Amino acid sequence: MSKKKIKTALISVFDKTGLEPLIDVLVGHGIELYSTGGTETFIRSLGFDVNAVEDLTGYPSILGGRVKTLHPKVFGGILNRSQVESDLSELQQFEIPALDLIVVDLYPFEKTIAGNATESEIIEKIDIGGIALIRAAAKNFQDVFCISNKEDYASFINIFKLFDGAPDLDTRKEFAVKAFHTSSHYDAAIFNHFDTKEDHLKLSIEDSHALRYGENPHQKGYFFGDLDELLDQVHGKAISYNNLLDIDSAVNLMLEFYDGKPAFGILKHNNACGFAVRDSLSAAYADALIADPVSAFGGVLICNKILDLETAKAIHELFCEVVIAPDYEVEALELLKRKKNRILLIQKETSLPTKTIRTCLNGYLVQDKDLKTDKIEDLQTVTKKEPSASEVDDLIFASKICKHTKSNTIILAKEQQLLASGTGQTSRVDALHQSINKAKSFGFSLNEAVMSSDAFFPFPDCVEIANNEGIKAVIQPGGSIKDSDSINYCDENNITMVFTGIRHFKH
């Protein structure tokens, strides 16, 4: 049995949007309708006949509407198997009509909890009858067609007409899968709202986007989430998997500077290769770029102010994959659009997740996101020499970048400019050597620069190497059993060092 003629339909929806065209088609093809409450009233308002479910069951809607369809005459009509003689016999015995099409949506639970609803209002938006109808219809897709989302009305109408009112099995199964998604997503939302222990992981994300490929062309890739809530793409090619990783790193880094003076960052492979804070956006971009113009090629650019024409002219000379800004001056946007593949994004104000999730072995790792930003009040001077006001500013600046750079990392900075970073090294000494060599290769002097480390120094070797290059201020978490060795070296060489007490590993 592949095709199944639809002769009867049960329709019960909370949201009536888009329902009228569906009713028109069903009535036009002689489908017998059953309905409840507000949907029944709506259908009658269109001038169509409809059977009240309470007439079928012999029971009215009770308990303030909590119980409407939970009855054997309803679920028997859905769950009967047309190929099982005993099922058909029982339908006849108990005068139960077979129901071929179920059109049901669910109370808007997620919309309710997103508002200022009370707990009693939230509880009343936990659907019981609707979820049961959807699951029953989806389970019996061999005989029943289930529509669980108003977004599928138009698609169903086309299918209904294509198959002359008798959709095939594959299509019924396809819609059953959608129905199971609806029910599982709904249950996950309810559980996650009421769960306070956080010792279970239930993820259900309705928005999905197929990407060109994953990290490499031979890998499939998908993004799950509502990207439009955070970013408006105003120009350019489709965003790739790797673009998204860089955009994520860029957005999270710039949030540390979002409300301050003009700041500009350039990222490559999830790490900042250039960053500066200046009095103008164009100056911030220029000083971010000179930190590493080689790595900036093909990078992701981000700023915290409206992108002006002067800055756009400078950016236009660089090949970059993505530009992110709170907005663009009209002329700046038109200029940047001249490169047809350049991705231009407007970042909107929205909340980001407070947890991070990643696969690990045969499971998942979940943790609180590192939302701790080192501030002046967190700094503990552990050396005899106190940092100057300008050094404190640079130390905080370097620490913010360090927090968002792959471990092991060392950040070198001066006058609110990233000079160089050592990223993702297996030893802190290697990270320091990498950052020193990189800074020198682009002509920077490290005299009076500051150094930030994402974790403590187990030995005094890093402060010794830094001192030999002219670095005179250091910020690190502290916590090593040999902290005193590094402190003593700093005291002996007139270096100021502050502890934050907070480690910022990023793997």
Side-chain angles (χ1 to χ4, degrees):
M1 181 192 66
S2 177
K3 293 185 177 181
K4 177 80 184 298
K5 193 77 174 178
I6 293 176
K7 300 176 182 178
T8 58
L10 170 62
I11 306 173
S12 181
V13 296
F14 181 88
D15 185 352
K16 313 300 187 295
T17 305
L19 188 60
E20 184 175 351
L22 177 62
I23 302 295
D24 287 340
V25 170
L26 295 177
V27 172
H29 284 77
I31 308 300
E32 186 174 7
L33 304 182
Y34 293 82
S35 192
T36 63
T39 308
E40 177 193 344
T41 302
F42 176 79
I43 294 172
R44 293 190 190 282
S45 74
L46 298 177
F48 300 131
D49 292 332
V50 58
N51 298 300
V53 166
E54 63 184 47
D55 292 338
L56 171 65
T57 64
Y59 281 89
S61 172
I62 63 173
L63 306 181
R66 281 189 166 197
V67 180
K68 299 176 185 176
T69 57
L70 296 170
H71 193 280
K73 281 200 170 184
V74 175
F75 283 86
I78 298 172
L79 288 166
N80 72 91
R81 294 156 292 185
S82 63
Q83 302 301 302
V84 178
E85 287 298 327
S86 60
D87 283 9
L88 300 180
S89 176
E90 288 178 344
L91 290 186
Q92 187 174 8
Q93 177 185 354
F94 296 109
E95 299 181 334
I96 300 173
L99 297 171
D100 305 316
L101 171 65
I102 305 300
V103 183
V104 178
D105 67 2
L106 299 171
Y107 293 155
F109 181 82
E110 289 180 284
K111 184 177 180 180
T112 301
I113 62 176
N116 297 316
T118 64
E119 183 170 271
S120 62
E121 290 171 331
I122 290 171
I123 289 172
E124 289 308 311
K125 288 298 184 288
I126 299 176
D127 208 312
I128 304 300
I131 203 84
L133 291 168
I134 288 172
R135 288 179 63 85
K139 174 179 178 177
N140 200 26
F141 66 85
Q142 294 281 351
D143 287 288
V144 180
F145 200 111
C146 181
I147 304 175
S148 59
N149 191 318
K150 66 183 178 183
E151 302 300 326
D152 289 325
Y153 291 170
S155 176
F156 170 79
I157 291 171
N158 292 333
I159 290 167
F160 186 84
K161 293 178 179 178
L162 177 66
F163 288 97
D164 194 25
D168 65 359
L169 178 61
D170 287 343
T171 306
R172 294 197 300 276
K173 188 173 183 179
E174 176 188 340
F175 273 70
V177 171
K178 292 183 177 185
F180 284 127
H181 167 69
T182 296
S183 64
S184 63
H185 178 79
Y186 196 76
D187 285 338
I190 294 169
F191 172 81
N192 287 329
H193 174 72
F194 287 102
D195 177 44
T196 56
K197 294 182 179 179
E198 298 185 346
D199 56 354
H200 295 84
L201 177 63
K202 295 187 187 300
L203 290 179
S204 180
I205 302 171
E206 292 197 289
D207 296 302
S208 65
H209 306 272
L211 305 173
R212 296 199 306 272
Y213 51 80
E215 202 161 6
N216 299 293
H218 64 279
Q219 297 168 265
K220 289 183 178 179
Y222 301 88
F223 176 80
F224 292 91
D226 185 5
L227 197 60
D228 293 338
E229 185 181 3
L230 175 65
L231 300 166
D232 279 335
Q233 182 171 356
V234 293
H235 183 71
K237 62 184 179 181
I239 300 174
S240 72
Y241 182 100
N242 291 325
N243 288 154
L244 285 169
L245 289 176
D246 280 330
I247 291 168
D248 177 72
S249 297
V251 166
N252 280 285
L253 171 57
M254 189 54 76
L255 284 176
E256 305 279 359
F257 299 88
Y258 216 74
D259 295 324
K261 294 172 63 175
F264 211 106
I266 304 173
L267 288 88
K268 194 75 169 287
H269 295 292
N270 313 152
N271 295 304
C273 58
F275 204 98
V277 174
R278 293 291 182 262
D279 290 329
S280 71
L281 199 60
S282 59
Y285 170 71
D287 284 346
L289 179 63
I290 61 173
D292 187 352
V294 176
S295 296
F297 182 86
V300 169
L301 281 57
I302 187 167
C303 60
N304 65 345
K305 305 297 179 187
I306 295 174
L307 205 152
D308 57 78
L309 180 59
E310 182 181 357
T311 307
K313 287 179 179 178
I315 291 172
H316 192 58
E317 297 177 1
L318 174 74
F319 169 72
C320 59
E321 287 274 328
V322 182
V323 182
I324 310 165
D327 208 340
Y328 299 80
E329 290 184 356
V330 174
E331 291 178 323
L333 184 60
E334 291 306 311
L335 174 62
L336 294 174
K337 280 183 175 181
R338 292 181 187 175
K339 298 287 180 69
K340 67 176 183 178
N341 288 328
R342 181 186 282 148
I343 298 168
L344 303 178
L345 303 173
I346 295 176
Q347 183 180 341
K348 295 179 277 189
E349 290 188 19
T350 189
S351 57
L352 294 176
T354 57
K355 302 281 185 184
T356 63
I357 303 170
R358 65 193 298 179
T359 58
C360 181
L361 300 175
N362 61 341
Y364 297 85
L365 284 173
V366 182
Q367 68 170 348
D368 294 334
K369 193 173 181 179
D370 184 359
L371 299 175
K372 174 65 177 176
T373 297
D374 296 328
K375 297 181 173 64
I376 293 176
E377 54 267 30
D378 300 319
L379 307 185
Q380 177 191 1
T381 303
V382 294
T383 53
K384 295 175 182 177
K385 183 183 179 183
E386 293 277 348
S388 66
S390 62
E391 285 175 330
V392 168
D393 289 342
D394 279 347
L395 290 169
I396 294 295
F397 171 87
S399 175
K400 289 177 178 180
I401 298 174
C402 192
K403 169 185 167 183
H404 294 275
T405 305
K406 295 290 184 181
S407 299
N408 286 314
T409 184
I410 293 288
I411 297 296
L412 304 180
K414 183 165 60 173
E415 296 175 353
Q416 302 290 286
Q417 179 187 22
L418 171 64
L419 301 184
S421 59
T423 62
Q425 298 302 301
T426 52
S427 83
R428 205 154 302 283
V429 172
D430 285 346
L432 178 54
H433 282 307
Q434 182 189 49
S435 61
I436 291 170
N437 292 336
K438 190 173 184 181
K440 287 182 173 181
S441 72
F442 291 110
F444 288 107
S445 167
L446 295 176
N447 283 325
E448 307 303 323
V450 305
M451 175 174 71
S452 177
S453 174
D454 58 337
F456 64 63
F457 298 126
F459 305 103
D461 46 7
C462 283
V463 290
E464 182 178 354
I465 295 167
N467 179 55
N468 291 336
E469 298 296 334
I471 295 166
K472 292 298 181 181
V474 179
I475 184 170
Q476 59 138 319
S480 169
I481 59 173
K482 294 187 176 182
D483 276 344
S484 59
D485 291 350
S486 294
I487 294 171
N488 291 338
Y489 181 88
C490 289
D491 283 340
E492 292 167 3
N493 291 274
N494 199 34
I495 299 171
T496 182
M497 184 162 64
V498 298
F499 285 0
T500 64
I502 299 294
R503 189 180 72 186
H504 291 295
F505 269 163
K506 187 171 185 283
H507 294 110

